């Protein structure tokens, strides 16, 4: 029996309608609106998802608010025990959630398991939250006076996540938020909503009290209700740049802490001394993994001449061996998320041709190992892309790799720094001096040196620069500890007769 056919304990794929998860139970709410959830490999609507009204969001927020005092007062040790149990359950049952990811997102099983593994890193970080969030102590800062700090949770936190990592992106946020003592309302993408319910149910199995982690499904109406709700203390958002900007502005105006991670256009700078075989491998892996639907995908290879022709030949050769199809069948690459998105991405090939670029490999005629109506587009390579073309400027978010040719490191650097995005970038070279220059000079938040997808490990923080990030605290790692807690500083002394007397001057340390 395949994983997809197997009845999971939580039966996520058996549901005809994906309902909200509020107070530790399925919750239909008052909304009659639903949206379609496709299996992208078949093009068939597999189930519906409930789309919340603002009253449904309010019900989830009130539930989280009611759960907050008890959870915030629970000891660090007990909160961490829940995270340890969750870590064990998630690791043991990762094939179940991977099957959900493949069924609703389309990514191949190995990629889905990779997504869970990167999420597990953050859970493991959250298992040590008492250590990460511990305060500081300075003895005798003034005679007989001590100063110390402690960190407390912020309250009800809202998390809004995108379609492309239905498990990993929620896992970037809720384990740290919950381990720190907050309660959560998560609004996942309505395109692939089931993984969020599965994770919330697993948290319950791990011992999380009802109401601490709630999931509401929906679209703009649900998001706006979270952004403006007076009882929501913070918003963590991941998605496209225009929506990230909107989220940042709206939630900030409503007095919330906000971290909003946006879109990307990631460049790989290839210097003439690079090993072109290893570079071609990396470009193909980072360009076409998850069908290019990754915010850290490489979408532009900036080739410093004279390497472009040789590099393109090596990339094309590797692309000819890639298999595309249903993610359960052991292929390299799955379908795109919707028909509309597939058509939009394919439309960039026409734009490329109109703008004078050369389509070296055209993915539109791909023979996919899957249903005829799946949302297929094969790996595509476009050479001589002009920086004035929309193919270069837009985040395409599909299996389309562009080549831009430059004559020097400086020209390549200038081009990358002129991009409005600054999420990730990579340099491929054997020249340590050039790599050191690049890490200092490039205006991008996450940099790979001979590493094409430089997603920082779970105890660092994740986030870009420029239009790829709005806010000040990045996702996960130390910055998330600060984001999900508020610091108190305490100045303390134990009085003795020497402290007597009247002095209206501003207190000074002695
Ligand atoms: P999206 O912006 O369309 O949606 C993200 C979330 O916002 C979803 O929950 C969606 O329901 C909600 N939303 C959509 N339209 C809205 C609106 N008008 N008002 C309020 N809320 C709205 O993004 P997506 O298509 O789901 O995901 C892909 C995008 O996410 C890409 O741009 C990708 O680069 C980006 N992304 C960025 C990162 C990062 O770390 N920087 C990580 C993953 C994905």
């Amino acid at each position: 029996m395949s994983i997809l056919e197997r009845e999971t304990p939580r039966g996520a794929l058996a549901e005809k309608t994906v309902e909200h998860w509020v107070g530790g139970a399925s919750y239909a709410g008052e909304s009659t609106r639903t949206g379609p959830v496709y299996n992208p490999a078949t093009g068939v609507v597999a189930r519906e998802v409930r789309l919340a009204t603002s009253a449904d969001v309010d019900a989830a927020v009130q539930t989280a608010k009611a759960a907050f005092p008890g959870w915030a007062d629970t000891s660090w040790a007990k909160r961490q025990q829940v995270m340890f149990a969750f870590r064990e359950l998630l690791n043991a049952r990762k094939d179940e959630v991977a099957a959900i990811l493949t069924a609703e997102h389309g990514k191949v099983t190995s990629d889905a398991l990779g997504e869970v593994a990167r999420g597990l890193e953050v859970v493991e970080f959250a298992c040590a939250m008492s250590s990460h969030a511990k305060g500081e102590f300075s003895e005798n800062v003034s005679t007989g006076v001590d100063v110390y700090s402690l960190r407390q949770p912020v309250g009800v936190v809202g998390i809004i996540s995108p379609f492309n990592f239905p498990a990993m992106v929620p896992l970037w946020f809720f384990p740290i938020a919950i381990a720190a003592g907050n309660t959560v309302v998560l609004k996942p993408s309505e395109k692939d909503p089931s993984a969020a319910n599965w994770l919330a149910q697993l948290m319950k199995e791990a011992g999380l009290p009802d109401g601490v982690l709630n999931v509401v499904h929906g679209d703009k109406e649900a998001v706006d209700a979270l952004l403006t709700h007076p009882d929501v203390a913070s918003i963590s958002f991941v998605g496209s740049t225009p929506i990230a900007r909107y989220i940042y502005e709206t939630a900030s105006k409503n007095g919330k802490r906000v971290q909003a991670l946006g879109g990307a256009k990631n460049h790989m700078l290839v210097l003439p001394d690079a090993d072109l075989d290893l570079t071609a491998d990396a470009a193909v892996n980072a360009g076409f993994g998850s069908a290019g639907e990754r915010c850290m995908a490489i979408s532009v290879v900036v080739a410093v001449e004279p390497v472009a022709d040789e590099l393109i030949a090596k990339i094309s050769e590797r692309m000819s061996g890639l298999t595309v199809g249903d993610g359960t069948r052991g292929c390299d690459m799955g379908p795109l998320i919707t028909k509309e998105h597939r058509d939009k991405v394919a439309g960039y090939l026409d734009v490329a041709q109109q703008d004078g670029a050369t389509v070296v490999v055209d993915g539109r005629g791909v023979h996919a190992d899957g249903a005829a109506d799946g949302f297929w587009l094969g790996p595509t390579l476009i050479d001589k892309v002009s920086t004035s073309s929309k193919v270069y400027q837009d985040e395409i978010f599909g299996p389309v790799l562009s080549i831009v040719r430059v004559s020097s490191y400086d020209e390549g650097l200038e081009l990358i720094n002129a991009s409005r995005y600054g999420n990730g970038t990579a340099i491929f070279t054997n020249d340590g001096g050039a790599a050191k220059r690049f890490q200092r000079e490039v205006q991008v938040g996450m940099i790979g040196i001979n590493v094409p997808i430089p997603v920082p490990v779970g105890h660092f923080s994740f986030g870009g620069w420029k239009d790829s990030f709005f806010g000040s605290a990045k996702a996960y790692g130390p910055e998330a500890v600060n984001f999900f807690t508020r610091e108190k500083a305490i100045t303390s002394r134990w009085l003795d007769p020497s402290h007597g007397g009247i002095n209206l001057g501003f207190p000074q340390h002695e």
Side-chain angles (χ1 to χ4, degrees), residues 406-430:
V406 296
S407 58
S408 65
Y409 164 90
D410 286 321
E411 194 187 338
L413 178 77
E414 196 178 320
L415 182 141
I416 297 169
N417 284 347
S419 170
R420 70 187 182 105
Y421 295 109
N423 211 39
T425 189
I427 185 168
F428 274 68
T429 179
N430 284 316

Side-chain angles (χ1 to χ4, degrees), residues 159-165 168-169 172 187-192 218-224 227 237-244 246-247 260-265 293-296 337 341 395 397 421 423 446 462-464 468-469 475:
I159 299 167
I160 301 158
S161 56
F163 82 82
N164 66 320
F165 285 110
M168 184 183 78
V169 168
W172 279 357
K187 206 300 287 173
S189 171
E190 64 276 35
K191 295 188 177 112
D192 41 20
D219 50 15
K220 181 170 169 50
E221 182 175 350
V223 172
D224 285 344
L227 299 182
F237 171 87
V238 180
S240 58
T241 288
I243 308 298
Y246 167 76
I247 299 280
L261 286 72
K265 190 88 183 179
E293 291 174 330
R294 288 183 184 144
C295 66
M296 291 293 276
I337 185 71
H341 187 57
E395 181 186 36
F397 219 57
Y421 295 109
N423 211 39
M446 292 172 283
F462 180 106
S468 296
F469 182 71

Side-chain angles (χ1 to χ4, degrees), residues 208-281:
L208 189 72
D210 292 345
V212 175
L213 174 57
N214 307 279
V215 181
V216 285
H217 298 287
D219 50 15
K220 181 170 169 50
E221 182 175 350
V223 172
D224 285 344
L226 267 180
L227 299 182
T228 55
H229 200 295
D231 292 323
V232 173
S234 73
I235 294 290
S236 303
F237 171 87
V238 180
S240 58
T241 288
I243 308 298
R245 186 181 279 115
Y246 167 76
I247 299 280
Y248 178 72
E249 289 171 357
T250 311
S252 299
K253 256 188 241 155
N254 282 275
K256 304 183 193 320
R257 293 182 172 204
V258 198
Q259 46 182 185
L261 286 72
K265 190 88 183 179
N266 304 315
H267 299 73
M268 173 198 261
L269 181 63
V270 182
L271 300 194
D273 73 318
D275 180 317
L276 292 189
D277 283 303
L278 297 179
T279 303
D281 287 347

Side-chain angles (χ1 to χ4, degrees), residues 66-296:
F68 177 68
W71 184 243
D73 274 350
T74 301
S75 71
W76 288 103
K78 286 185 180 149
R79 293 201 302 250
Q80 287 178 180
Q81 280 162 16
V82 173
M83 297 316 303
F84 272 106
F86 178 65
R87 191 266 168 209
E88 290 305 290
L89 285 171
L90 182 55
N91 192 42
R93 298 192 192 165
K94 53 182 178 255
D95 59 343
E96 289 175 27
V97 70
I100 295 171
L101 301 178
T102 299
E104 292 190 351
H105 175 280
K107 62 180 68 182
V108 301
T109 301
S110 56
D111 193 33
L113 285 167
E115 162 171 359
V116 181
R118 295 310 299 261
L120 269 166
E121 278 175 19
V122 182
V123 180
E124 287 160 5
F125 179 87
C127 287
M129 271 301 284
S130 61
S131 169
H132 301 312
K134 69 179 189 291
E136 295 178 313
F137 191 101
S138 288
E139 186 193 28
N140 216 31
V141 292
S142 185
T143 308
V145 175
D146 301 330
V147 175
Y148 54 96
S149 65
L150 50 87
R151 305 201 76 92
Q152 295 184 332
V154 298
V156 177
V157 308
I159 299 167
I160 301 158
S161 56
F163 82 82
N164 66 320
F165 285 110
M168 184 183 78
V169 168
L171 287 167
W172 279 357
F173 300 103
F174 78 72
I176 295 177
I178 287 175
N182 301 283
T183 56
V184 174
V185 177
L186 164 64
K187 206 300 287 173
S189 171
E190 64 276 35
K191 295 188 177 112
D192 41 20
S194 295
N197 283 20
W198 187 91
L199 290 168
Q201 291 176 52
L202 203 69
M203 283 292 281
K204 182 179 169 110
E205 285 180 43
L208 189 72
D210 292 345
V212 175
L213 174 57
N214 307 279
V215 181
V216 285
H217 298 287
D219 50 15
K220 181 170 169 50
E221 182 175 350
V223 172
D224 285 344
L226 267 180
L227 299 182
T228 55
H229 200 295
D231 292 323
V232 173
S234 73
I235 294 290
S236 303
F237 171 87
V238 180
S240 58
T241 288
I243 308 298
R245 186 181 279 115
Y246 167 76
I247 299 280
Y248 178 72
E249 289 171 357
T250 311
S252 299
K253 256 188 241 155
N254 282 275
K256 304 183 193 320
R257 293 182 172 204
V258 198
Q259 46 182 185
L261 286 72
K265 190 88 183 179
N266 304 315
H267 299 73
M268 173 198 261
L269 181 63
V270 182
L271 300 194
D273 73 318
D275 180 317
L276 292 189
D277 283 303
L278 297 179
T279 303
D281 287 347
V284 169
N285 294 339
F288 304 117
S290 203
E293 291 174 330
R294 288 183 184 144
C295 66
M296 291 293 276

